[in-house]
Each structure stands twice: as C-alpha cells, then as structure tokens.
Amino acid sequence: MLGDCHFCAHHCGVNRLAGEFGLCHAGATTRYFLAQTEVTDELELIPTFAIALSGCDMRCDFCITGAESWNPRAGASFNAAEMAAQAQTAMENGARTIMVLGGEPTVHLHAALELAAALPDTSRLVWKTNAHGSEQARELLDGIFDVWLADFKFGNDFCARRLAKIANYTGVVRENLLWANARSELIVRHLLMPGHIECCWRPITEWLAANLPGVKVNLRSGFWPAWHARRHRELRGTVLQDEAKRAQRIAEINGLNLIP
C-alpha cells in the first residue's frame, strides 16, 4: 500500500517506498514529535499518553503545531515496540488511554497499526484524526481503536479550501464520521474560529443534530492565532466572548450533547 498510497482522501497514489512524495510529503518511515502523558484533552480520556506522529495531509493555516504537523521529518524516529513499552509504563503510572494523533496519524497508518498490535488488548486506544482518511484507511482501522476523536473543522468547502487547502472536505468528513459512529465510540471536536460561527459552526451543528443525534461533541473556544493564521484577517485575534456565547446557544438549540 505504501507503494501506491491512498491512505488519505487526496488519493495521491505515490510510491512512498521509492521516495515519491504526495501532498503530505511523508515517506516510508515514520517520525514523532511528542510522546508524553497529557491532561488537556476531553475529561473522559485523560490522563492520556499522547503519541504525535509528524506530518499531515492538511495545511490548516491556524495549526497550533504547524512546524511539526506540516513536516514529516520533524522529531525522532518512530519504533513501535519501544513506543508501546513507553505507553504501557504510562498506563501503569495512571494514564487511562493511549492516544495516537499528529499531525495526522492516517498518513502513517502502517506505523499506527504496528503500534496497536504491540499493545495489550486491554489498552483503551484513541484515534485522534482530522477525519480526512480514505475508505482503504477505514477498512484497515476497523475494530482497532476504541474511540475516534475526530475534528470537524469546517462547515463548508469554501472555508476548507481557503484555510486548509482541502477540496471536497465536508463530504469526506461526514462519511468518515458516520462510519466511525457505527463501529466505535465517537467524539466530535470543533475549534471555534473567530468570524466562523455562521459559516462553519452552525452548519456543523445542524448536520450533527440531523445525522448523529446524541453524539458527544466537544466545542472548544480557545483559538489563538498560531502558525500562519495571520494570513487571514478574521483569524488574527481570539474568539470574542459574545461569539462563544452565541456558539453555545446554537448548540443548545440543536440539542447537541456537549461534553467538556
């Protein structure tokens, strides 16, 4: 599969074994830029031992870890057996879950599956994803991770193209969310962005209410203008208090199951 890569929805079809690079620029080897116990995620998942793989198939200008997330050669070389040992030690010291994230872990699906195979069956595994994976990726991930923690970043394709260089975004993400909800526990996360309540958050809430009623949703309002966010006028500041209250009200009107 690395010789004809279709892990994400870009379907580049490049031969990563021969040194060809698709839009994520990832090769045949995997690197990671973080492996430590974290307490800043959803309350029901923390403490979690977070393993962040370098590289991503999206180019979100506001990415908080842009330097590493955009660069698959950042960080240290990834060894599944060694990382599994670190994760097990973290679990023995109080971590409740093991979270694989990025960047975007889908572009390193082979390494993520090798890690999962090296962990005890009793481990509670979390797949933290941008939900832009392909059908091939879904088939390989089926039954492997207990929880899908999926970002729903944009409520329309125009904002996705402008802010993350992604085409056909909403269709891909919706398909992946429906699939994940049918096969695992699903938590949908959305980061509020200043100026994007009506164009992004409102259509997301309406779609979730109609298609995934009762799904757990974490609405985050701690946006700050990281990485290249200042390329976009509306993203040069933080979310205003009035915007956060309005977003909360939209969620309540649509009956979303908000979690901290």
Side-chain angles (χ1 to χ4, degrees), residues 5 12 24 59 66-67 145 163-164 182 197 201 203 213 238 249:
C5 189
C12 295
C24 70
R59 289 294 179 264
F145 286 82
L163 301 180
I197 305 300
W201 176 235
T238 57
R249 181 58 179 156

Side-chain angles (χ1 to χ4, degrees), residues 199-215:
C199 58
C200 287
W201 176 235
R202 185 182 291 278
I204 286 173
T205 62
E206 293 173 350
W207 186 86
L208 290 174
N211 295 276
L212 292 172
V215 71

Side-chain angles (χ1 to χ4, degrees), residues 109-222:
L109 188 55
H110 55 301
L113 293 176
E114 187 179 3
L115 171 66
L119 290 166
D121 291 340
T122 55
S123 303
R124 185 164 171 78
L125 303 183
V126 181
W127 185 248
K128 171 65 176 66
T129 178
N130 61 23
H132 192 250
S134 66
E135 181 180 1
Q136 181 188 76
R138 294 198 303 264
E139 292 175 352
L140 293 170
L141 287 165
D142 197 358
I144 304 298
F145 286 82
D146 303 285
V147 180
W148 275 51
L149 176 56
D151 285 321
F152 201 158
K153 298 173 182 288
F154 311 105
N156 66 88
D157 288 347
F158 175 78
C159 289
R161 285 194 300 271
R162 187 168 71 89
L163 301 180
K165 315 299 186 293
I166 296 292
N168 304 317
Y169 172 83
T170 54
V172 171
V173 171
R174 290 172 179 178
E175 183 177 341
N176 279 311
L177 294 183
L178 291 170
W179 182 93
N181 187 64
R183 288 167 175 80
S184 67
E185 181 181 343
L186 173 64
I187 300 175
V188 178
R189 180 189 287 182
H190 177 75
L191 175 65
L192 286 177
M193 295 181 291
H196 286 264
I197 305 300
E198 294 300 325
C199 58
C200 287
W201 176 235
R202 185 182 291 278
I204 286 173
T205 62
E206 293 173 350
W207 186 86
L208 290 174
N211 295 276
L212 292 172
V215 71
K216 296 176 181 177
V217 180
N218 184 359
L219 175 61
R220 297 196 156 198
S221 58

Side-chain angles (χ1 to χ4, degrees), residues 9-42:
H10 289 307
H11 291 290
C12 295
V14 297
N15 185 348
R16 291 166 60 173
L17 297 172
E20 297 177 6
F21 299 119
L23 292 173
C24 70
H25 298 163
T29 60
T30 299
R31 300 181 72 82
Y32 72 97
F33 63 89
L34 179 145
Q36 64 186 32
T37 300
E38 296 277 340
V39 294
T40 58
D41 293 285
E42 286 69 11

